[in-house]
Amino acid sequence: MQDYLRKVLESVSFINEKISEMPEIAIILGSGLGGLADEVMDRVEIPYSDIPNFPASKVVGHENKLIIGKIYNKNVIVMQGRFHYYEGYEMDEVTFPIKVFALLGVSKLIVSNAAGGLNKKLKSGDLMLITDHINTFGLSPLRGENISEFGERFPGMRNAYSPRLIELAKEQAKAKDLTTKLELKEGVYAFMPGPQYETEAEIKMLDIIGADAVGMSTVPEVISAVHSGIEVLGITCITDECYAPVSPSHERVLQVAEQVSEKFKTLVMKVIMAM
Ligand code: HPA
Protein backbone atom coordinates (compact mmCIF):
# COMPACT_ATOMS: atom_id res chain seq x y z
CA MET A 1 0.00 0.00 0.00
CA GLN A 2 2.89 2.39 0.65
CA ASP A 3 3.58 1.66 -3.01
CA TYR A 4 0.26 3.37 -3.83
CA LEU A 5 1.32 6.43 -1.84
CA ARG A 6 4.64 6.48 -3.67
CA LYS A 7 2.81 6.33 -7.03
CA VAL A 8 0.49 9.19 -6.05
CA LEU A 9 3.46 11.27 -4.89
CA GLU A 10 5.22 10.66 -8.22
CA SER A 11 2.16 11.97 -10.10
CA VAL A 12 1.93 14.94 -7.72
CA SER A 13 5.61 15.88 -8.28
CA PHE A 14 5.19 15.60 -12.05
CA ILE A 15 2.15 17.91 -12.05
CA ASN A 16 3.71 20.34 -9.58
CA GLU A 17 6.65 20.87 -11.91
CA LYS A 18 4.27 22.06 -14.62
CA ILE A 19 2.22 24.53 -12.57
CA SER A 20 3.03 27.62 -10.54
CA GLU A 21 0.01 27.85 -8.22
CA MET A 22 -1.71 25.25 -6.08
CA PRO A 23 -5.14 24.21 -7.40
CA GLU A 24 -7.97 24.82 -4.95
CA ILE A 25 -10.97 23.38 -6.80
CA ALA A 26 -11.01 20.09 -8.72
CA ILE A 27 -13.73 19.53 -11.30
CA ILE A 28 -14.62 16.15 -12.82
CA LEU A 29 -16.55 16.49 -16.05
CA GLY A 30 -19.04 13.73 -16.77
CA SER A 31 -20.08 12.28 -20.14
CA GLY A 32 -21.01 15.03 -22.59
CA LEU A 33 -20.35 17.80 -20.06
CA GLY A 34 -16.81 18.64 -21.22
CA GLY A 35 -17.58 22.16 -22.50
CA LEU A 36 -16.67 23.79 -19.21
CA ALA A 37 -13.03 22.97 -19.92
CA ASP A 38 -12.99 25.74 -22.56
CA GLU A 39 -13.44 28.33 -19.80
CA VAL A 40 -10.14 27.60 -18.08
CA MET A 41 -7.74 30.54 -18.56
CA ASP A 42 -3.93 30.58 -18.36
CA ARG A 43 -4.11 26.88 -18.82
CA VAL A 44 -1.68 24.03 -18.72
CA GLU A 45 -2.95 20.82 -20.31
CA ILE A 46 -1.51 17.50 -19.32
CA PRO A 47 -2.61 14.33 -21.15
CA TYR A 48 -3.19 11.49 -18.69
CA SER A 49 -0.78 9.38 -20.71
CA ASP A 50 2.07 11.78 -19.78
CA ILE A 51 1.47 11.54 -16.03
CA PRO A 52 3.38 8.76 -14.31
CA ASN A 53 1.04 6.09 -12.92
CA PHE A 54 -2.17 7.73 -14.20
CA PRO A 55 -4.71 5.36 -15.81
CA ALA A 56 -6.19 6.32 -19.25
CA SER A 57 -9.93 6.55 -20.01
CA LYS A 58 -11.33 4.41 -22.82
CA VAL A 59 -14.92 5.65 -23.10
CA VAL A 60 -16.31 7.53 -26.12
CA GLY A 61 -17.31 11.05 -25.08
CA HIS A 62 -14.43 11.55 -22.70
CA GLU A 63 -11.22 13.37 -23.45
CA ASN A 64 -8.23 12.28 -21.47
CA LYS A 65 -6.44 15.20 -19.94
CA LEU A 66 -6.03 17.41 -16.93
CA ILE A 67 -6.55 21.10 -17.55
CA ILE A 68 -5.04 23.31 -14.89
CA GLY A 69 -5.57 27.06 -14.77
CA LYS A 70 -8.03 29.69 -13.62
CA ILE A 71 -11.76 30.25 -13.74
CA TYR A 72 -12.72 33.67 -12.30
CA ASN A 73 -9.26 33.88 -10.78
CA LYS A 74 -9.75 30.66 -8.80
CA ASN A 75 -7.15 27.96 -9.30
CA VAL A 76 -8.86 24.93 -10.79
CA ILE A 77 -7.82 21.49 -11.98
CA VAL A 78 -10.26 19.94 -14.42
CA MET A 79 -10.44 16.26 -15.26
CA GLN A 80 -11.70 15.83 -18.78
CA GLY A 81 -12.41 12.11 -18.84
CA ARG A 82 -12.64 9.88 -15.79
CA PHE A 83 -11.99 6.25 -14.94
CA HIS A 84 -14.94 3.93 -14.52
CA TYR A 85 -15.05 0.64 -12.66
CA TYR A 86 -16.85 -0.94 -15.64
CA GLU A 87 -13.84 -0.26 -17.85
CA GLY A 88 -11.91 -2.77 -15.77
CA TYR A 89 -10.11 -0.41 -13.40
CA GLU A 90 -9.90 -1.39 -9.76
CA MET A 91 -11.54 0.99 -7.31
CA ASP A 92 -8.19 2.39 -6.16
CA GLU A 93 -7.39 3.18 -9.82
CA VAL A 94 -10.78 4.86 -10.33
CA THR A 95 -9.97 7.15 -7.41
CA PHE A 96 -6.25 7.58 -8.08
CA PRO A 97 -6.76 11.16 -9.40
CA ILE A 98 -8.63 12.12 -6.23
CA LYS A 99 -5.68 11.11 -4.10
CA VAL A 100 -3.42 13.12 -6.43
CA PHE A 101 -5.73 16.13 -6.03
CA ALA A 102 -5.70 15.73 -2.25
CA LEU A 103 -1.92 15.82 -2.09
CA LEU A 104 -1.79 18.70 -4.59
CA GLY A 105 -3.72 20.70 -1.99
CA VAL A 106 -7.21 20.65 -3.52
CA SER A 107 -9.88 21.44 -0.91
CA LYS A 108 -13.09 21.33 -2.99
CA LEU A 109 -14.39 18.95 -5.63
CA ILE A 110 -17.18 19.59 -8.12
CA VAL A 111 -18.11 16.21 -9.56
CA SER A 112 -20.59 15.72 -12.38
CA ASN A 113 -22.18 12.83 -14.19
CA ALA A 114 -24.95 11.66 -16.47
CA ALA A 115 -27.60 9.49 -14.84
CA GLY A 116 -30.99 7.95 -15.32
CA GLY A 117 -33.90 9.45 -13.37
CA LEU A 118 -35.77 7.02 -11.10
CA ASN A 119 -37.96 9.62 -9.42
CA LYS A 120 -40.83 10.62 -11.71
CA LYS A 121 -40.20 14.26 -10.85
CA LEU A 122 -36.91 14.02 -12.73
CA LYS A 123 -37.01 14.49 -16.50
CA SER A 124 -34.37 14.17 -19.20
CA GLY A 125 -32.41 17.40 -19.35
CA ASP A 126 -32.82 18.24 -15.64
CA LEU A 127 -29.86 19.16 -13.47
CA MET A 128 -29.93 17.54 -10.02
CA LEU A 129 -27.79 18.50 -7.06
CA ILE A 130 -26.75 15.30 -5.30
CA THR A 131 -27.78 15.42 -1.66
CA ASP A 132 -26.60 11.90 -0.79
CA HIS A 133 -25.62 8.62 -2.38
CA ILE A 134 -26.21 4.89 -2.11
CA ASN A 135 -23.24 2.65 -2.79
CA THR A 136 -25.41 -0.28 -3.90
CA PHE A 137 -22.77 -2.97 -4.26
CA GLY A 138 -20.71 -1.94 -1.27
CA LEU A 139 -17.55 -1.69 -3.38
CA SER A 140 -15.17 0.73 -1.70
CA PRO A 141 -12.01 2.43 -2.92
CA LEU A 142 -10.89 2.46 0.72
CA ARG A 143 -10.79 -1.35 1.03
CA GLY A 144 -7.38 -2.62 2.09
CA GLU A 145 -4.75 -1.18 4.36
CA ASN A 146 -5.52 2.43 5.21
CA ILE A 147 -2.97 5.04 4.15
CA SER A 148 -3.11 7.56 6.96
CA GLU A 149 -1.49 10.27 4.81
CA PHE A 150 -4.82 10.33 2.94
CA GLY A 151 -7.29 9.98 5.79
CA GLU A 152 -8.58 7.89 8.65
CA ARG A 153 -9.50 4.18 8.61
CA PHE A 154 -13.24 4.63 9.20
CA PRO A 155 -14.26 7.94 7.67
CA GLY A 156 -17.79 9.24 8.26
CA MET A 157 -19.97 9.71 5.18
CA ARG A 158 -22.70 11.89 6.73
CA ASN A 159 -22.98 15.15 4.79
CA ALA A 160 -20.64 13.74 2.15
CA TYR A 161 -22.23 16.27 -0.21
CA SER A 162 -21.51 19.57 1.47
CA PRO A 163 -24.74 21.24 2.65
CA ARG A 164 -22.87 24.55 2.42
CA LEU A 165 -22.05 24.01 -1.27
CA ILE A 166 -25.58 22.76 -2.02
CA GLU A 167 -26.98 26.00 -0.56
CA LEU A 168 -24.41 28.05 -2.46
CA ALA A 169 -25.37 26.30 -5.75
CA LYS A 170 -29.07 26.89 -5.09
CA GLU A 171 -28.45 30.58 -4.42
CA GLN A 172 -26.39 30.96 -7.56
CA ALA A 173 -29.06 29.22 -9.66
CA LYS A 174 -31.50 31.92 -8.54
CA ALA A 175 -29.13 34.81 -9.34
CA LYS A 176 -30.88 37.67 -11.10
CA ASP A 177 -28.31 38.15 -13.84
CA LEU A 178 -29.09 34.78 -15.41
CA THR A 179 -30.63 35.15 -18.86
CA THR A 180 -32.22 31.69 -18.81
CA LYS A 181 -33.89 30.14 -15.81
CA LEU A 182 -31.70 27.61 -14.05
CA GLU A 183 -34.01 25.20 -12.33
CA LEU A 184 -32.27 22.71 -10.07
CA LYS A 185 -33.64 19.45 -8.71
CA GLU A 186 -32.17 17.62 -5.73
CA GLY A 187 -31.86 13.95 -4.97
CA VAL A 188 -30.05 10.79 -3.98
CA TYR A 189 -27.68 9.21 -6.51
CA ALA A 190 -27.24 5.44 -6.57
CA PHE A 191 -24.09 3.86 -7.95
CA MET A 192 -24.41 0.76 -10.09
CA PRO A 193 -21.15 -0.73 -11.35
CA GLY A 194 -22.44 -1.25 -14.94
CA PRO A 195 -21.73 -1.29 -17.82
CA GLN A 196 -25.16 -2.82 -18.41
CA TYR A 197 -28.15 -0.61 -17.75
CA GLU A 198 -30.57 -1.71 -15.04
CA THR A 199 -33.25 -4.36 -15.34
CA GLU A 200 -36.84 -3.51 -14.44
CA ALA A 201 -36.45 -5.28 -11.08
CA GLU A 202 -33.26 -3.36 -10.33
CA ILE A 203 -34.98 -0.09 -11.17
CA LYS A 204 -37.80 -1.03 -8.81
CA MET A 205 -35.28 -1.93 -6.09
CA LEU A 206 -33.38 1.35 -6.48
CA ASP A 207 -36.63 3.29 -6.28
CA ILE A 208 -37.69 1.41 -3.12
CA ILE A 209 -34.38 1.93 -1.35
CA GLY A 210 -34.65 5.67 -1.83
CA ALA A 211 -32.58 6.54 -4.89
CA ASP A 212 -33.71 9.32 -7.22
CA ALA A 213 -31.13 8.77 -9.96
CA VAL A 214 -28.77 5.99 -11.00
CA GLY A 215 -25.41 6.08 -12.71
CA MET A 216 -22.08 4.31 -13.05
CA SER A 217 -19.62 6.79 -11.57
CA THR A 218 -19.09 9.48 -8.90
CA VAL A 219 -19.65 7.46 -5.72
CA PRO A 220 -16.12 5.97 -5.60
CA GLU A 221 -14.61 9.41 -6.22
CA VAL A 222 -16.78 11.03 -3.57
CA ILE A 223 -15.92 8.37 -0.96
CA SER A 224 -12.25 8.96 -1.69
CA ALA A 225 -12.59 12.75 -1.58
CA VAL A 226 -14.46 12.68 1.74
CA HIS A 227 -11.82 10.32 3.13
CA SER A 228 -9.25 13.01 2.36
CA GLY A 229 -11.28 15.89 3.80
CA ILE A 230 -12.26 17.41 0.45
CA GLU A 231 -15.58 19.29 0.37
CA VAL A 232 -17.83 17.91 -2.39
CA LEU A 233 -20.52 19.32 -4.66
CA GLY A 234 -22.16 16.69 -6.90
CA ILE A 235 -24.17 17.63 -9.99
CA THR A 236 -26.10 15.09 -12.05
CA CYS A 237 -27.42 15.61 -15.52
CA ILE A 238 -30.52 13.47 -15.96
CA THR A 239 -30.17 12.01 -19.44
CA ASP A 240 -32.98 9.45 -19.44
CA GLU A 241 -35.95 8.29 -17.47
CA CYS A 242 -35.65 4.84 -15.94
CA TYR A 243 -39.44 4.45 -15.83
CA ALA A 244 -39.45 4.56 -19.68
CA PRO A 245 -40.18 1.14 -21.20
CA VAL A 246 -36.75 0.68 -22.81
CA SER A 247 -33.12 1.13 -21.75
CA PRO A 248 -31.39 4.29 -22.93
CA SER A 249 -28.65 4.16 -25.54
CA HIS A 250 -25.21 5.56 -24.78
CA GLU A 251 -25.60 7.83 -27.83
CA ARG A 252 -28.82 9.28 -26.41
CA VAL A 253 -27.20 9.77 -22.99
CA LEU A 254 -24.36 11.74 -24.61
CA GLN A 255 -26.76 13.71 -26.79
CA VAL A 256 -28.88 14.85 -23.84
CA ALA A 257 -25.81 15.65 -21.72
CA GLU A 258 -24.44 17.78 -24.56
CA GLN A 259 -27.75 19.63 -24.79
CA VAL A 260 -27.59 20.38 -21.06
CA SER A 261 -23.90 21.19 -21.11
CA GLU A 262 -24.38 24.98 -21.54
CA LYS A 263 -26.76 25.15 -18.55
CA PHE A 264 -24.34 23.02 -16.53
CA LYS A 265 -21.44 25.29 -17.46
CA THR A 266 -23.38 28.40 -16.38
CA LEU A 267 -24.15 26.82 -13.02
CA VAL A 268 -20.62 25.63 -12.33
CA MET A 269 -19.08 28.96 -13.35
CA LYS A 270 -21.37 30.80 -10.97
CA VAL A 271 -20.63 28.35 -8.18
CA ILE A 272 -16.87 28.74 -8.71
CA MET A 273 -17.19 32.52 -8.64
CA ALA A 274 -19.06 32.34 -5.33
CA MET A 275 -16.87 29.67 -3.71
N1 HPA B 1 -28.50 3.99 -15.69
C1 HPA B 1 -27.23 3.93 -15.33
N2 HPA B 1 -26.33 4.80 -15.72
C2 HPA B 1 -26.72 5.79 -16.51
C3 HPA B 1 -28.02 5.91 -16.91
C4 HPA B 1 -28.97 4.94 -16.50
O1 HPA B 1 -30.16 4.99 -16.84
N3 HPA B 1 -28.10 7.02 -17.68
C5 HPA B 1 -26.87 7.54 -17.73
N4 HPA B 1 -26.02 6.80 -17.02
Side-chain angles (χ1 to χ4, degrees):
M1 262 301 164
Q2 289 310 311
D3 192 44
Y4 188 81
L5 177 60
R6 181 187 56 75
K7 285 183 174 160
V8 170
L9 286 169
E10 270 175 19
S11 302
V12 169
S13 308
F14 179 86
I15 295 167
N16 265 333
E17 274 173 27
K18 301 207 174 301
I19 58 176
S20 50
E21 291 178 57
M22 190 174 91
E24 175 197 349
I25 306 165
I27 304 162
I28 302 180
L29 297 175
S31 308
L33 299 172
L36 180 79
D38 299 337
E39 303 297 329
V40 182
M41 303 294 142
D42 305 330
R43 58 208 277 153
V44 173
E45 294 190 7
I46 314 179
Y48 296 163
S49 52
D50 287 2
I51 308 171
N53 313 318
F54 232 68
S57 182
K58 299 165 188 143
V59 182
V60 180
H62 289 274
E63 307 242 5
N64 302 304
K65 58 185 184 229
L66 288 181
I67 301 161
I68 305 162
K70 287 183 190 288
I71 295 182
Y72 291 129
N73 232 22
K74 301 267 165 72
N75 288 309
V76 299
I77 183 162
V78 178
M79 248 187 112
Q80 205 173 25
R82 56 144 64 92
F83 309 112
H84 299 87
Y85 182 73
Y86 64 75
E87 292 173 272
Y89 298 108
E90 296 304 327
M91 280 294 178
D92 61 357
E93 293 177 295
V94 172
T95 57
F96 187 85
I98 304 292
K99 291 318 190 199
V100 171
F101 296 158
L103 297 194
L104 276 171
V106 163
S107 58
K108 297 173 198 77
L109 170 69
I110 302 175
V111 59
S112 60
N113 58 53
L118 295 154
N119 185 322
K120 293 214 166 59
K121 290 187 182 135
L122 296 171
K123 306 286 177 209
S124 287
D126 279 350
L127 285 179
M128 181 189 96
L129 297 175
I130 307 177
T131 54
D132 205 344
H133 74 220
I134 301 176
N135 188 16
T136 49
F137 277 75
L139 294 164
S140 175
L142 307 181
R143 179 169 172 265
E145 187 191 331
N146 186 53
I147 303 177
S148 56
E149 283 83 352
F150 293 136
E152 59 183 307
R153 170 73 294 187
F154 300 107
M157 287 290 143
R158 302 284 179 93
N159 292 330
Y161 299 82
S162 163
R164 183 184 83 84
L165 294 182
I166 290 172
E167 278 315 305
L168 188 144
K170 282 160 64 175
E171 272 167 32
Q172 291 306 313
K174 284 189 225 139
K176 292 205 175 59
D177 60 319
L178 286 171
T179 42
T180 46
K181 203 167 149 241
L182 233 178
E183 197 196 343
L184 294 181
K185 305 281 176 70
E186 287 178 54
V188 174
Y189 175 94
F191 169 72
M192 289 287 273
Q196 72 285 359
Y197 289 113
E198 298 69 37
T199 65
E200 265 111 351
E202 285 165 345
I203 289 167
K204 189 172 168 191
M205 169 194 79
L206 292 166
D207 190 24
I208 290 169
I209 65 176
D212 297 298
V214 55
M216 305 174 196
S217 68
T218 303
V219 167
E221 291 132 322
V222 171
I223 292 172
S224 180
V226 173
H227 178 232
S228 289
I230 295 173
E231 201 179 4
V232 175
L233 178 69
I235 306 172
T236 288
C237 168
I238 302 294
T239 52
D240 53 278
E241 290 143 12
C242 295
Y243 41 90
V246 288
S247 292
S249 68
H250 186 55
E251 291 68 34
R252 179 75 188 138
V253 165
L254 288 181
Q255 195 183 31
V256 175
E258 274 156 24
Q259 283 162 7
V260 180
S261 145
E262 204 51 39
K263 191 164 71 162
F264 168 78
K265 186 166 96 178
T266 305
L267 172 67
V268 175
M269 299 275 288
K270 291 199 84 60
V271 167
I272 291 171
M273 191 167 60
M275 260 177 164

